[in-house]
Amino acid sequence: MAIGWMVLGYMVLVISFYSLLLLISFVQLRKTYQLDEREPYEELLHLHQTKPVSILVPAYNESVGIMATVRSLLSIEYPEYEIIIVNDGSTDDSLEKLIESFQLVKIKWVIRRQLDTKQVKAVYQSRIYKNLLVVDKENGGKADALNAGINVSNYPYFCSIDGDSVLERTAFLKVMKPIIESDGEVIASGGSIRIANGCEIESGEIVKVGLSRSPIVVMQVIEYLRAFLMGRIGLSRHNLLLIVSGAFGVFSKRWVVEAGGYSHTVGEDMELVVRLHRYVKEQKADKKIVYVPDPVSWTEAPESLKYLRRQRRRWHRGLFESLWIHRRLIFNPKYGSIGMVSIPYFLIIEFLGPVVELMGYLVMLLSIFFGGVYLEFAILLFLLSVLYGSILSMASVLLEEWTIRKYPKASDIIRLFFYSLTETLWYRPLTVLWRCEGILDVLRRKTGWGEMARKGVSK
């Protein structure tokens, strides 16, 4: 029963914390409600303060999705940018497709080696689009590919994009806006990631937003809504954000290079953000890392339990690596709110949370057999788990409907609501189990990303 009370206390703490994040996110989103109608983003196209951006796309065996990604990047609305595709030793026909489709030719390119990487074999430039470069290098992993892209890049800011992502046309204007207006105070800015499965995409552009028929994919849509609209807005509001998604984030190249670039970890995107916070604090600089909810990058989600399980286990290993590398920050007042609030939150709630939740599920199962007061306790735990999972997920769907409204069909919102209600009954226990397996992978010192299957989401 002592374990049960511990689980109960933990869940009350977590629910209180997430409820606070929900309130902050709601207020912040309502302030920027229908931002497009009031904010003149078009002016950013002509302002001399608008910073040029290097868009880095690490690609390893991305033949299925890379063409749609490049087409979407070529059509974005932004005054000055270059696209750098980094072919990280792909064994499929990714490079050949790019060469043929965009008329790539080898060029002599002086590479400023600011960060150590595997050998670059060749640099190509498109005859059609002069701002499109392709770097062909030896395989070194995603972090190595991004560091190579930074070395090749010309501009003071860079954006990391996954090889299977599709950007909305105005996404860059929106994600760059806080950087442009802050005059150097904001050194990183992240946008939202949404699930492309179920959407209609033609020539690298979202032509119709839709919802997949797969329950697994729908649950991931809800997860992403909760993680981005509720979690990241609340953390960003007080400069506590530790994750800028590797699928869509803009960084100051100077600060990233000074901090050492991307590290060879499974969760290289989070580790870089934590290291930037740490470096900024140690330099006693007043800098911010922010999240902007409206700009969206659409990406393909796993459609099978096998690959989803592999992804979640990897994510949890990546979380541990970032926390372990920067363990000195935990409850260290020298690092301000990052050390006293943000890092402990990710350790206690995000990393250890699955273990406590799994114990809660075991307590509920055992209480059924004991009956009496134990059964009543199990019911209380179950109701709290419903509040923790399903109700907060439903609130995230409401945030989406009240503010950004990416899903235009009422039937899609109804389906999201219905699946939110069922989350605690099947989906959340699965993700809890997979994340606990991720902890076991840490103890077994398992490394590597694991293979992920791509179907492609573009026509």
Side-chain angles (χ1 to χ4, degrees), residues 11-12 34 73 86 113-114 130 132-133 147 175 208 213 235-236 274 294 306 310 348 361 365 370 393 418 428 453 457:
M11 292 186 70
V12 169
Q34 293 181 331
L73 293 175
V86 185
R113 199 175 177 85
Q114 301 175 88
K130 296 303 181 182
L132 174 59
L133 300 173
N147 286 337
V175 80
K208 185 179 180 181
R213 306 306 302 179
L235 293 171
S236 173
V274 178
D294 197 18
K306 172 185 175 182
R310 188 173 293 174
I348 297 169
Y361 289 128
L365 287 174
F370 288 105
S393 293
F418 171 75
R428 189 163 188 88
V457 293

Side-chain angles (χ1 to χ4, degrees), residues 245-256:
S245 176
F248 187 29
V250 177
F251 297 86
S252 164
K253 184 164 73 173
R254 173 207 156 190
W255 283 92
V256 169

